[in-house]
Amino acid sequence: MRPRPPVSCPSTTPFALPVAPSPIPSLPASPIAPPVTHLLYLHGFRSSPRSFKAQRMAQWLQANAPAVHWWCPQLPPSPRAAVELVERGTDDWPAASSAAVGSSLGGFYATVLAERRPGWRALLLNPAVEPARDLAAYIGEQSAFHDPDQHFFFRPEYVDELHRLRPPTLSHAGRYAAVIATGDEVLDWREMSARHAGAQLRIVEGSDHALSDFDSHLPFVLNFLGLAPATTP
């Protein structure tokens, strides 16, 4: 898996936003929920806030919804420490207007957080369903995806932490939405779909684990978060 106070992205790894992003396709309908005021983005395994999806969302907010409080932290390798970090950082966020967007392993963390925070919404991008099983093969030294010179050690106890963190079910599937690619080369799209039955699912024919075509799915993401205006007739 690869994996401010008005629009800011506090993290240990600063990144630059694209200079000339491609335009975002228009939405087919009006937003389905009240707009979020606080938005958390959680990256995947070996990834960082430099993820192109995180950068793309940060830029859209900066240009279109600068009042939204945006946080995109660098997550530690320990799953327990990662969840503790985001819980502390969002402790005073309003439940009714907060949401987490998570990619791959970050999607698993977003689910953990949403299950612990009634009222939160979670938007998942090719989310990890059984990370304890899948990441057991990655025990040992790893390099960061966006900075190969940066190394970390994925410890055996981290697999146990993932086992303990996994929610048995989704208590309120209606608070979830997911973008799932049938072309994901890392995770099984059928397993992702089954795990999130009852959620708002966007099943994408083809694509890949990273959702390299993320711009085409951004309207769905923004609509679920209540952030994009309706298209004009």
Side-chain angles (χ1 to χ4, degrees), residues 165-178:
L165 285 169
R166 186 184 187 276
T169 59
L170 304 185
S171 57
H172 299 285
R175 293 194 285 113
Y176 292 84

Side-chain angles (χ1 to χ4, degrees), residues 33-124:
V36 298
T37 59
H38 292 66
L39 185 58
L40 172 69
Y41 186 96
L42 301 173
H43 63 74
F45 183 66
R46 296 179 54 234
S47 190
S48 76
R50 294 166 63 186
S51 155
F52 82 94
K53 296 188 291 293
Q55 292 191 33
R56 189 67 176 106
M57 290 202 65
Q59 187 195 43
W60 189 92
L61 290 172
Q62 188 175 49
N64 299 277
V68 172
H69 183 97
W70 162 263
W71 187 33
C72 177
Q74 177 67 58
L75 300 175
S78 161
R80 177 186 54 78
V83 171
E84 287 177 354
L85 171 69
V86 298
E87 284 191 312
R88 286 195 306 270
T90 61
D91 216 25
D92 60 349
W93 286 21
S97 59
S98 293
V101 176
S103 173
S104 194
L105 181 59
F108 174 80
Y109 292 152
T111 299
V112 173
L113 188 64
E115 286 300 306
R116 295 182 179 186
R117 298 278 172 87
W120 274 59
R121 280 168 271 172
L123 189 289
L124 316 174

Side-chain angles (χ1 to χ4, degrees), residues 26 32 49 53 59 65 76 84 88 90-91 109 114 130 134 160 163 175 177 184-185 194 196-197 204 207 209 231:
S26 59
I32 59 174
K53 296 188 291 293
Q59 187 195 43
E84 287 177 354
R88 286 195 306 270
T90 61
D91 216 25
Y109 292 152
E130 299 288 353
D134 298 337
D160 296 331
H163 273 299
R175 293 194 285 113
D184 191 317
E185 71 280 12
H196 300 94
V204 181
S207 190
H209 183 63
T231 55

